Amino acid sequence: MQIGYKLAAEAFGPAELVRQAVRAEQAGFDFVEISDHYHPWLDNQGHSPFAWTVLGAIAAKTERIGLATGVTCPTVRYHPAVIAQAAATLALVSDGRFVLGVGSGERLNEHVVGRGFPDVRLRHEMLREALEIIRLLWRGGYRSYEGKHLRLEDARVFDLPDEPPLIAVAASGPPSARIAAELGDGLFATEAKPEIVRHYREAGGTGPGYAEVPTAWAPDERTAARAALETTRWAVTGWKVMSELPNPVNFAAATTTVREEDMLEHFACGSDPERYVEMARQYADAGFDRLVLMNAGPDPDGFLDFYSSELDGRLRGLEPGGSGS
């Protein structure tokens, strides 16, 4: 079992994210994962720096910890040729520590370039084409591609690592799980649903499974739940809502009825390590073997210390598909 730390790029500025990544390495995490957003989910989060710049700075300031996007949409706001180049460069400057997490995107971030945001069927078609383009460019040489949605004209990525980055593809149902199995090297999810992993395996996927585990550290659970409610209540709305709303004001309106009790139910809140193990076990039992702790509490340093002293060994004892220790 590998354990990752989620860098909340919507809640902190770039320098603070780099600092947290350095602290996460010191605390014993295996990797850090950063969201690739243009907007925060809520205005009161107040941040959304460019993820690729932050990752480059982290690579320069760390030695061991892995890096991952969680996740990048390589179809609307970015062309896949740009992501192929960016990922190859980051793999080089991090000495092979980078994992490219990709998905079909959210309207919140993709509508900003004025190209619209297609329905989910078209998004999946575009993601397939994007992954084909990225793979093509990573083979080296000048490449062209003519797809239904995306094109590539006589392009070459000159700086390529000896081994391309692993690609983890976000999935929530059978169509996206098939894309992950057929064109990715791993699976990425945000829900503890065994059927997501099952669909991926049945489609031939054999790679690692990444999943985000919702947590909120504070000395007491009510303080933690209040902090999570203030900044992260969007996380309980479900993927169909999260993928379709266009701006932070819409997420604020959509979450007016979310309560502290909802955060206590969906997040591991407070400072009882057993609650964190219980929450993480749901994802391990579902078959995931790369657990990313997403802390929505008010004190990131307190959480990092708590992980190092109370959680590291416990979480590593969990077994994918079984209860573990």
Side-chain angles (χ1 to χ4, degrees):
M1 184 69 69
Q2 291 188 16
I3 310 299
Y5 176 73
K6 181 65 179 280
L7 294 168
E10 304 84 11
F12 300 100
E16 171 61 14
L17 293 170
V18 175
R19 188 194 71 82
Q20 287 184 28
V22 172
R23 285 276 286 112
E25 182 174 67
Q26 295 166 350
F29 282 95
D30 295 301
F31 62 96
V32 292
E33 173 212 304
I34 188 171
S35 49
D36 186 355
H37 277 211
Y38 198 88
H39 290 152
W41 298 99
L42 298 169
D43 280 329
N44 64 353
Q45 290 182 295
H47 296 278
S48 198
F50 188 52
W52 295 88
T53 302
V54 175
L55 286 170
I58 293 170
K61 287 182 173 288
T62 56
E63 298 179 355
R64 171 194 57 81
I65 200 163
L67 315 172
T69 49
V71 294
T72 287
C73 176
T75 58
V76 181
R77 182 167 44 111
Y78 303 120
H79 189 279
V82 175
I83 297 305
Q85 182 189 37
T89 298
L90 192 52
L92 288 169
V93 301
S94 67
D95 295 322
R97 290 183 281 148
F98 177 60
V99 171
L100 175 61
V102 298
S104 58
E106 305 101 6
R107 188 181 301 272
L108 175 70
N109 306 297
E110 305 309 314
H111 81 275
V112 299
V113 294
R115 295 179 55 201
F117 190 65
D119 65 41
V120 66
R121 180 183 61 82
L122 292 182
R123 296 203 301 271
H124 286 161
E125 290 179 0
M126 294 172 71
L127 182 58
R128 278 187 172 276
E129 292 186 4
L131 290 170
E132 289 173 354
I133 289 171
I134 291 169
R135 296 286 193 195
L136 186 64
L137 287 167
W138 284 354
R139 286 163 50 187
Y142 285 93
R143 302 290 179 175
S144 296
Y145 180 97
E146 186 74 35
K148 179 180 177 182
H149 307 285
L150 299 170
R151 298 180 60 195
L152 182 73
E153 184 176 343
D154 207 23
R156 176 184 174 186
V157 176
F158 275 79
D159 291 288
L160 289 171
D162 292 335
E163 293 291 332
L166 182 148
I167 300 177
V169 180
S172 58
S176 48
R178 283 194 296 272
I179 297 172
E182 294 168 10
L183 292 169
D185 305 301
L187 175 70
F188 184 97
T190 59
E191 297 174 291
K193 293 182 176 179
E195 57 267 31
I196 298 175
V197 178
R198 186 179 72 250
H199 292 317
Y200 173 67
R201 301 300 181 199
E202 289 175 349
T206 60
Y210 292 78
E212 293 184 350
V213 181
T215 69
W217 186 88
D220 66 277
E221 66 176 12
R222 282 291 172 180
T223 298
R226 283 193 294 271
L229 180 67
E230 181 179 355
T231 64
T232 319
R233 58 187 183 273
W234 49 267
V236 304
T237 60
W239 184 246
K240 288 186 177 180
V241 174
M242 290 168 61
S243 64
E244 294 297 339
L245 298 184
N247 282 306
V249 65
N250 304 108
F251 281 93
T255 55
T256 55
T257 61
V258 179
R259 307 162 301 156
E260 279 186 33
E261 286 72 20
D262 298 315
M263 309 313 292
L264 289 167
E265 178 184 353
H266 289 92
F267 282 66
C269 294
S271 57
D272 179 1
E274 292 310 314
R275 173 61 176 144
Y276 288 75
V277 174
E278 176 190 0
M279 182 65 72
R281 183 177 285 120
Q282 297 177 34
Y283 292 83
D285 287 351
F288 296 99
D289 58 0
R290 304 287 191 273
L291 304 185
V292 187
L293 303 188
M294 184 180 74
N295 174 44
D299 179 4
D301 287 291
F303 173 75
L304 290 164
D305 290 339
F306 173 68
Y307 171 80
S308 182
S309 63
E310 300 289 344
L311 294 181
D312 185 79
R314 286 180 169 94
L315 297 186
R316 292 184 190 283
L318 296 175
E319 292 289 339
S323 59
S325 62

